[in-house]
Amino acid sequence: MGIMLTVQNAAATPAIIRREDYTAPDWLVPQIDLEFDLAAAATQVRAQLRLVRNGAHDRPVRLDGDGLTPLSVLRDGAVASDWTLVDGALIIPVMGDVALIETVVTLAPDQNTQLMGLYASGGLLCTQCEAEGFRRITFFPDRPDVLSRYRVRMTADKAHYPVLLGNGDCTGSGDLGDGRHWAEWTDPFPKPSYLFALVAGQLAANRDQFVTMSGKTVDLAIWVAEADLPKTQHAMDALKASMAWDERVYGREYDLGQFNIVAVADFNFGAMENKSLNIFNSRYILADPETATDLDYDAVAGVVAHEYFHNWSGNRVTCRDWFQLSLKEGFTVFRDQCFSADQGSAAVKRIEDVRILRAAQFPEDAGPLAHPIRPDSYIEISNFYTATIYNKGAEIIRMLNTLLGPEMFRKGTDLYFDRHDGTAATCEDFVRAMEDASGQDLAQFRLWYATAGTPRLTVRIADDRLIIDQRVPDTPGQTGKPPLMIPLRLALFDPATGTHGGDRLEVLTKARTEIALPAGSGRPVLSINRGFAAPITVETDRTSADLAFLSAHDDDPFGRYEAMQQLMLDTLVTAVQTGSADHDPVIAAVRTTLTNTALDPAFVGEAVLLPSEAFIGDQLEVVDPDAIHAAREALRCALGTTLSDHWDAAYRRHAADHFVYSPEAKGARRLRNVALGYLAAARADDAGPLAFAQFSAADNMTDRLAALGTLANGDAPERSLALHSFYDRFRDNALVIDKWFATQVMSTRADTLAVVEALRTHPDFTLHNPNRVRALAGAFSMNQLHFHAADGAGYRLLADLLLALDPINPQTAAKLLPPLGRWRRFDPARQALMRAQLERILAAPGLSKDLFEQASKSLA
Ligand code: 0A1
Ligand code: ZN
């Protein structure tokens, strides 16, 4: 009995994959030929793999498979019958050192609700293979260090699937005469299976060309439904700008004659960098003023750039195994961040990047799912497409850039690309290239790759010295961590003159660093972690007068923003802890910023915004969502009321008579909409009509949605009119209806839980579209006030939804779980309620390993 139980438990608990267990592949596949007979209900896939034994061993060929049944298996042209299926994988004995294995399987793309492998979206057939989706298409060693040349032939009904796209170049096409046609695509660059893609369907293209730095012409096409063509120009402009930027900044040229992008409505992530055939969630391609906000425009450009940049950082040099994911993702996010900074205001971009890091990554680093950017183990790799791998990963590359300086950093990336082109590399390879190119010793820097948790600096001025202590907090499985190498940018201001003696880069390597202050120059005001050069938290003994001074005088825009944020945070934390706080210093600092006409309005719009309720909570021992909301609303109201003339002036000054897409016009819209929010917070009698007037007159989505958001949080009579009219106007546009869902579930109104329940059964709600699920469940779990309702209704609602979603789309379900896992941060009553939902999820029969991993780690 005991043995039976052990065996059963072992079978029920998914296996843990460990980085230290990596071994080279037993068999390589230099060439694969694929034939797809495409149809939504039944697609046949014939695969011919040329296999070569890798090293001296006698192990059989093992081809990963997930949900596949072989219809036939041929070995060197003869039927093989000695194969077995083990955990979905096909095991085939092979005598010699080379073999030709041919398999045939059938798939049902229209039944594929997971959106991994080959699936149907709208009338299209498309693929998603990263990380382990290729094994849902055909039997193959589905790991990133097996690089193959692909030749792919597709056959399909011509009326349903007139466009057939694959990786590489189209090397043939023709009509079969019976209403069917075919196309052949050949990719000359060996690639891992996760970069395979195909698309078939009725698509129209926005076409253009790009001439590369060596004079080659590349044909560009963005493929969408015909009606969406007018919304593709921004993406096309971003693509061409990205291609030019990668040549100018990294010396990287595009390597094929074609580059295709396809937009699909149902997609688990943002987009995918498949070689020369990027597939995008349509929300990161489609943009026009009527339906996309300025933030959407920025996201489109950023994601187009990100996927394009992967052609070098990810495709030409790929990852040896999935533990190295940040090698391509951290580096590529850093590249897209720099690209976006170059396209507009670098200061505002940096502030936005830090805000995202603090909102998404810091909580991850401080919670039960904390992991280093190079994790040591996983159960399900798709759970590791995290803010840590992506955004903290980017910060770590940024620190290398800071430590080495841009010239050495570029030398390092050149060396990395040259050395590893056409291979599957590791994070260690990247650091070694940086080290070799620069001659700098990065031994201690490497700890960043292995260390989870956000380092905390405590900084104080003691007479003639600055004393800096660093501590890396314990995280699951990691305690007592050694100090990290931290590039810290700081400046010491003389408050009397408003100047400083120069921006200094201090490289911290020890638990305590002492820096001598210039003799005889009074107590300086400290501007620290300027530019947010390191992804850390900093606690200082700066007074509110110091912070007010910096918020007005720091010449580092990030430092200026940060000082204001800190001043606001200190005020809010005091208010939460003691029930009241002096609002005046914040009001004075905001007034100074608001009336400084030398500042970029886009920057002002960021600087005068209060920290989010979630971020305030992150500063507290025990999060009290109601007290935080009350304290923040009180300060917002005080700012709105006391400075109402200034908000009013800003609102009017930044009005435009028609929509223009430019950095200046975007900045004006930003500040104007922040002003609208403060005017509404002041509960000025005319805020409802003012917002409704903006809502109705807007000629762009930024202004319309900002007004709708303002109305959605209040109870002005115009509220329901605006929500109805918005729905009626955009009912046929799924991406805009997502905004309609998200706006309502983010509301601070008392009836929000009931609204979420109602939207859950709205005819437009579906668990089959990840964007819609995120618009409801993802946005609601960010609503600190109502998700954390004291009776646990918010937790139950999320858990219900995740349990319903798990059998349909486990990846998307697992991504939405982490807010429930933050239970340790709350009071005992909420802790119990959150844990109860996690336990309920864990007890569900047939739970996916995706959700199992997230829920079990969250409870541990
Ligand atoms: N490599 C992509 C992210 C991505 C990962 C997995 C996916 O499958 C569900 C899709 C996309 C990127 O970084 O953009
Ligand atoms: Zn990426």
Side-chain angles (χ1 to χ4, degrees):
M1 188 63 178
I3 293 170
M4 269 298 289
L5 259 180
T6 315
V7 170
Q8 271 183 0
N9 285 348
T13 308
I16 298 175
I17 319 287
R18 294 179 203 282
R19 183 164 63 85
E20 65 192 15
D21 292 344
Y22 174 84
T23 53
D26 282 344
W27 291 84
L28 299 176
V29 189
Q31 174 73 36
I32 172 171
D33 289 66
L34 285 160
E35 274 178 40
F36 287 87
D37 193 347
L38 291 164
T43 287
Q44 187 175 87
V45 187
R46 179 181 301 271
Q48 260 194 8
L49 279 59
R50 274 168 215 287
L51 288 141
V52 178
R53 196 183 295 271
N54 189 29
H57 64 81
D58 57 3
R59 287 182 288 278
V61 167
R62 183 183 193 281
L63 305 176
D64 297 304
D66 179 0
L68 303 179
T69 310
L71 298 181
S72 81
V73 179
L74 302 185
R75 180 178 43 218
D76 297 324
V79 174
S81 48
D82 50 354
W83 53 266
T84 49
L85 274 185
V86 178
D87 293 336
L90 185 62
I91 315 288
I92 313 164
V94 166
M95 298 303 286
D97 286 344
V98 294
L100 183 67
I101 301 285
E102 184 175 313
T103 63
V104 178
V105 296
T106 45
L107 314 171
D110 63 357
Q111 304 297 307
N112 182 351
T113 60
Q114 292 186 32
L115 315 182
M116 286 297 286
L118 178 68
Y119 66 93
S121 176
L124 301 178
L125 293 178
C126 64
T127 55
Q128 173 54 41
C129 292
E130 186 176 7
E132 297 181 335
F134 194 64
R135 64 186 64 185
R136 292 166 55 80
I137 295 177
T138 191
F139 290 105
F140 193 79
D142 192 14
R143 41 186 289 169
D145 56 352
V146 172
L147 275 62
S148 316
R149 284 202 170 76
Y150 282 68
R151 196 171 68 205
V152 179
R153 185 184 153 102
M154 292 168 254
T155 338
D157 178 84
K158 201 171 177 173
H160 283 102
Y161 306 108
V163 176
L164 301 173
L165 301 171
N167 308 106
D169 294 307
C170 185
T171 43
S173 61
D175 213 298
L176 292 169
D178 54 353
R180 299 174 64 72
H181 69 148
W182 65 276
E184 184 192 77
W185 288 76
T186 309
D187 185 353
F189 291 97
K191 64 170 177 287
S193 50
Y194 82 86
L195 291 173
F196 166 84
L198 70 77
V199 174
Q202 284 168 352
L203 291 160
N206 175 354
R207 293 180 190 275
D208 208 328
Q209 289 190 328
F210 180 81
V211 179
T212 70
M213 59 198 211
S214 71
K216 284 183 300 190
T217 299
V218 184
D219 290 324
L220 312 175
I222 299 182
W223 299 87
V224 295
E226 175 118 44
D228 286 329
L229 270 183
K231 297 183 186 152
T232 55
Q233 195 51 42
H234 182 62
M236 180 60 86
D237 292 343
L239 174 60
K240 288 186 290 180
S242 311
M243 296 177 87
W245 189 90
D246 214 13
E247 292 185 348
R248 183 166 58 78
V249 180
Y250 282 87
R252 299 290 124 196
E253 186 179 11
Y254 188 62
D255 51 10
L256 280 162
Q258 304 189 19
F259 188 82
N260 290 303
I261 291 178
V262 182
V264 302
D266 306 287
F267 200 76
N268 282 345
F269 282 73
M272 181 63 212
E273 70 263 25
N274 318 297
K275 184 80 188 186
S276 78
L277 178 53
N278 289 359
I279 298 181
F280 272 63
N281 185 327
S282 53
R283 70 174 289 196
Y284 295 112
I285 288 295
L286 304 180
D288 69 4
E290 168 76 357
T291 58
T293 62
D294 290 335
L295 280 179
D296 294 329
Y297 270 77
D298 290 347
V300 166
V303 179
V304 166
H306 179 97
E307 305 309 330
Y308 174 73
F309 295 155
H310 267 315
N311 190 53
W312 276 96
S313 47
N315 300 3
R316 288 288 288 256
V317 182
T318 193
C319 297
R320 186 192 73 175
D321 55 73
W322 291 120
F323 296 104
Q324 319 297 328
L325 183 58
S326 200
L327 173 68
K328 73 178 176 83
E329 296 304 347
F331 186 23
T332 304
V333 171
F334 174 66
R335 277 150 57 69
D336 82 54
Q337 288 178 348
C338 295
F339 165 79
S340 298
D342 282 355
Q343 302 296 108
S345 160
V348 171
K349 174 64 179 157
R350 188 69 189 128
I351 290 168
E352 286 168 358
D353 292 341
V354 174
R355 186 178 292 141
I356 291 169
L357 188 81
R358 286 174 167 163
Q361 199 279 325
F362 278 19
E364 202 164 86
D365 243 352
L369 301 174
H371 52 279
I373 67 158
R374 184 184 53 209
D376 292 319
S377 67
Y378 61 77
I379 291 175
E380 170 52 61
I381 185 56
S382 46
N383 285 333
F384 282 78
Y385 287 76
T386 59
T388 298
I389 303 289
Y390 276 67
N391 302 66
K392 187 175 183 180
E395 295 301 323
I396 285 164
I397 304 300
R398 185 181 292 269
M399 284 192 288
L400 281 171
N401 185 42
T402 304
L403 284 166
L404 269 54
E407 272 172 36
M408 283 301 160
F409 181 79
R410 169 66 197 272
K411 249 182 94 181
T413 60
D414 282 353
L415 182 61
Y416 167 73
F417 287 128
D418 289 351
R419 211 181 244 178
H420 300 287
D421 189 10
T423 70
T426 62
C427 297
E428 173 56 26
D429 292 330
F430 188 88
V431 179
R432 195 168 315 118
M434 288 292 154
E435 215 164 32
D436 291 350
S438 68
Q440 275 205 39
D441 178 358
L442 296 172
Q444 189 185 8
F445 187 82
R446 283 174 169 80
L447 288 176
W448 278 103
Y449 283 85
T451 306
T454 308
R456 182 160 190 79
L457 295 195
T458 313
V459 185
R460 65 199 164 85
I461 295 176
D463 303 325
D464 56 347
R465 284 162 308 139
L466 196 59
I467 302 179
I468 306 176
D469 290 312
Q470 73 155 292
R471 195 177 63 80
V472 189
D474 291 348
T475 49
Q478 288 191 345
T479 51
K481 293 172 234 197
L484 300 177
M485 180 186 257
I486 298 177
L488 188 66
R489 283 183 48 212
L490 55 90
L492 301 164
F493 277 83
D494 177 345
T497 62
T499 60
H500 61 79
D503 184 291
R504 304 164 56 153
L505 179 66
E506 299 288 340
V507 181
L508 311 184
T509 55
K510 298 189 301 250
R512 169 166 290 190
T513 308
E514 299 198 6
I515 299 171
L517 296 175
S521 57
R523 187 179 179 278
V525 176
L526 179 64
S527 168
I528 193 157
N529 203 17
R530 309 183 99 210
F532 200 77
I536 56 177
T537 58
V538 183
E539 190 186 319
T540 66
D541 56 0
R542 292 179 296 186
T543 63
S544 61
D546 292 342
L547 296 171
F549 168 85
L550 289 169
S551 79
H553 295 104
D554 200 332
D555 57 338
D556 172 44
F558 181 80
R560 197 184 265 250
Y561 161 83
E562 186 72 338
M564 179 79 93
Q565 287 288 298
Q566 195 60 53
L567 184 59
M568 291 168 163
L569 264 183
D570 291 350
T571 306
L572 289 163
V573 167
T574 304
V576 172
Q577 286 171 341
T578 67
S580 73
D582 178 7
H583 289 158
D584 290 347
V586 171
I587 293 174
V590 169
R591 182 189 287 113
T592 304
T593 297
L594 206 49
T595 52
N596 182 346
T597 48
L599 293 173
D600 173 6
F603 172 83
V604 176
E606 298 301 324
V608 301
L609 270 186
L610 292 175
S612 71
E613 291 178 13
F615 192 58
I616 301 164
D618 291 344
Q619 320 304 314
L620 299 165
E621 280 288 307
V622 178
V623 183
D624 179 343
D626 302 297
I628 291 172
H629 179 70
R632 190 175 182 277
E633 282 308 295
L635 181 53
R636 222 162 69 84
C637 181
L639 281 163
T641 313
T642 317
L643 303 179
S644 65
D645 290 349
H646 296 293
W647 298 123
D648 202 50
Y651 188 79
R652 288 178 205 295
R653 183 165 357 107
H654 294 290
D657 54 10
H658 65 279
F659 177 84
V660 176
Y661 184 75
S662 69
E664 298 72 35
K666 270 163 58 179
R669 278 191 290 276
R670 177 78 173 139
L671 182 49
R672 187 165 190 263
N673 285 316
V674 169
L676 176 69
Y678 276 113
L679 287 169
R683 311 217 188 287
D685 293 343
D686 58 351
L690 181 68
F692 192 72
Q694 172 170 324
F695 173 84
S696 310
D699 66 350
N700 66 85
M701 182 52 81
T702 305
D703 289 341
R704 199 186 305 279
L705 191 65
L708 185 69
T710 299
L711 288 165
N713 273 337
D715 36 40
E718 295 85 355
R719 176 180 187 274
S720 105
L721 193 56
L723 282 167
H724 281 108
S725 113
F726 191 89
Y727 180 82
D728 289 342
R729 185 179 186 118
F730 297 109
R731 62 190 322 149
D732 296 328
N733 186 320
L735 296 175
V736 183
I737 294 301
D738 290 340
K739 299 182 194 299
W740 182 79
F741 273 86
T743 300
Q744 295 178 76
V745 306
M746 294 291 291
S747 171
T748 51
R749 275 165 57 103
D751 64 353
T752 298
L753 269 161
V755 169
V756 182
E757 300 271 12
L759 288 173
R760 173 79 177 78
T761 55
H762 189 280
D764 286 338
F765 184 75
T766 168
L767 290 171
H768 288 265
N769 178 268
N771 288 353
R772 189 58 47 86
V773 171
R774 287 185 282 257
L776 185 112
F780 173 61
S781 66
M782 297 295 111
N783 184 331
Q784 300 300 301
L785 189 61
H786 294 303
F787 176 62
H788 294 288
D791 63 356
Y795 307 144
R796 206 176 323 115
L797 204 150
L798 180 65
D800 285 349
L801 189 133
L802 297 187
L803 286 170
L805 180 60
D806 191 45
I808 297 170
N809 188 332
Q811 253 185 33
T812 298
K815 280 237 139 212
L816 293 169
L817 182 124
L820 269 181
R822 308 220 170 104
W823 54 271
R824 278 189 187 77
R825 308 278 306 112
F826 292 83
D827 56 86
R830 284 188 174 89
Q831 288 199 2
L833 292 163
M834 294 170 93
R835 286 182 60 98
Q837 294 308 322
L838 287 168
E839 276 156 9
R840 196 179 134 222
I841 290 172
L842 217 45
L847 196 68
S848 68
K849 61 176 180 168
D850 310 55
L851 213 45
F852 170 82
E853 178 170 38
Q854 302 283 81
S856 59
K857 287 183 175 172
S858 296
L859 273 168

